[in-house]
Amino acid sequence: QPLPLRLFYLANVFRYESPQAGRLREFGQAGVELIGSSGPEADAELIALAVEALRTAGLQEFQISLGEVQVINGLMEETNLPESVIRSLKKALTQKDLVGLEDLLIEHQLPLQKREMVLGISNFHGGLEVIQESRKLTSNQRTIQALDYLERVWSSLIKLGVDSFVRLDLGVLRGFEYYTGIVFEGYSSDLGFPLCGGGRYDNLLSKFGYPCPATGFAVGIERLLLALDNQNKKQ
């Protein structure tokens, strides 16, 4: 088929989880994949579609948290720490455990300046000012290039009219190693876990014999229904 491909699915997914509210071992998932298209416009298209999906479902109060994995990967390069330690640092970031993150940085005797750099950038939330402030804290080219790309995605989101639903969060990593660029998660004010999530995964399809850029996201059906139910109860 000619590229790009815009695909969707609705299916049950199975993960090895500790079952609790909103976190099941078997759950419904609706997702889309944009295959064969790279660049900020493609990523912004997926984020805008996530916004529209949540709005169409009836959700009124929600926010998309947007990050870029290469921002953190660049910072990790600067630490010169062993790969096993970097994995622990990323796990703490994924779990939003900033206290654990700082403890790890202190435990492995990272110099104060680099410690403040990692903690500062990973804790930035907001609009375009997040990118501007982050540039002041590091000269790592990998991180700078990722920040530049994020700024281009943000410009595309403004053109699509969905920037008011999006907040930059440079600590967003997601729990999967295959992401190569932007990553995002959708939250409502009523739940403490993401309703949807996704990002760019340009290297994944090559592992299956089909090198091709790609980006996508999925919505957790049960989580979305739970958020809708909570918001309806408040009205």
Side-chain angles (χ1 to χ4, degrees):
Q1 296 292 321
L3 298 175
L5 295 175
R6 289 173 172 83
L7 309 176
F8 74 93
Y9 64 88
L10 179 61
N12 282 8
V13 177
F14 300 85
R15 286 190 190 148
Y16 188 72
E17 298 272 17
S18 299
Q20 53 187 284
R23 190 178 295 276
L24 307 172
R25 290 187 174 182
E26 178 185 358
F27 56 94
Q29 191 174 81
V32 297
E33 314 298 334
L34 175 50
I35 296 173
S37 186
S38 59
E41 293 81 8
D43 288 323
E45 177 183 334
L46 264 291
I47 296 167
L49 184 56
V51 169
E52 190 61 25
L54 296 179
R55 291 178 67 188
T56 302
L59 204 62
Q60 297 179 13
E61 300 175 14
F62 67 89
Q63 171 191 286
I64 304 294
S65 295
L66 171 63
E68 224 280 11
V69 296
Q70 300 305 334
V71 169
I72 299 299
N73 287 341
L75 296 182
M76 293 298 110
E77 286 179 347
E78 292 290 296
T79 67
N80 295 316
L81 291 171
E83 187 60 35
S84 59
V85 178
I86 288 176
R87 283 197 297 270
S88 297
L89 292 171
K90 287 184 175 181
K91 183 178 180 181
L93 275 170
T94 301
Q95 296 174 342
K96 304 291 187 186
D97 182 7
L98 295 181
V99 174
L101 177 66
E102 184 172 16
D103 287 345
L104 280 168
L105 294 172
I106 293 173
E107 177 186 345
H108 293 280
Q109 302 178 345
L110 199 68
L112 179 61
Q113 183 179 4
K114 290 186 177 182
R115 199 161 73 228
E116 290 177 342
M117 174 188 68
V118 174
L119 289 170
I121 291 180
S122 61
N123 200 31
F124 278 152
H125 312 86
L128 199 57
E129 73 281 356
V130 165
I131 295 173
Q132 297 162 349
E133 290 301 315
S134 296
R135 288 195 180 109
K136 298 176 184 177
L137 290 180
T138 180
S139 59
N140 180 273
Q141 284 306 299
R142 191 174 186 179
T143 296
I144 295 297
Q145 287 174 9
L147 291 170
D148 290 344
Y149 186 84
L150 256 184
E151 187 168 6
R152 292 164 62 198
V153 173
W154 188 264
S155 295
S156 295
L157 292 172
I158 292 174
K159 292 176 184 176
L160 292 170
V162 297
D163 54 294
S164 62
F165 294 94
V166 182
R167 188 169 184 244
L168 293 175
D169 181 349
L170 301 185
V172 172
L173 277 179
R174 307 277 294 147
F176 303 100
E177 290 293 328
Y178 55 70
Y179 288 118
T180 58
I182 68 110
V183 283
F184 62 94
E185 296 176 335
Y187 291 90
S188 79
S189 57
D190 307 280
L191 297 178
F193 38 76
L195 303 170
C196 68
R200 177 159 291 280
Y201 54 97
D202 284 345
N203 299 332
L204 183 61
L205 294 180
S206 63
K207 298 181 183 297
F208 300 92
Y210 191 73
C212 192
T215 186
F217 75 93
V219 177
I221 302 300
E222 287 84 2
R223 292 184 176 189
L224 177 58
L225 292 173
L226 189 57
L228 287 168
D229 187 49
N230 287 341
Q231 289 196 5
N232 288 334
K233 287 177 181 176
K234 287 165 58 178
Q235 295 176 1

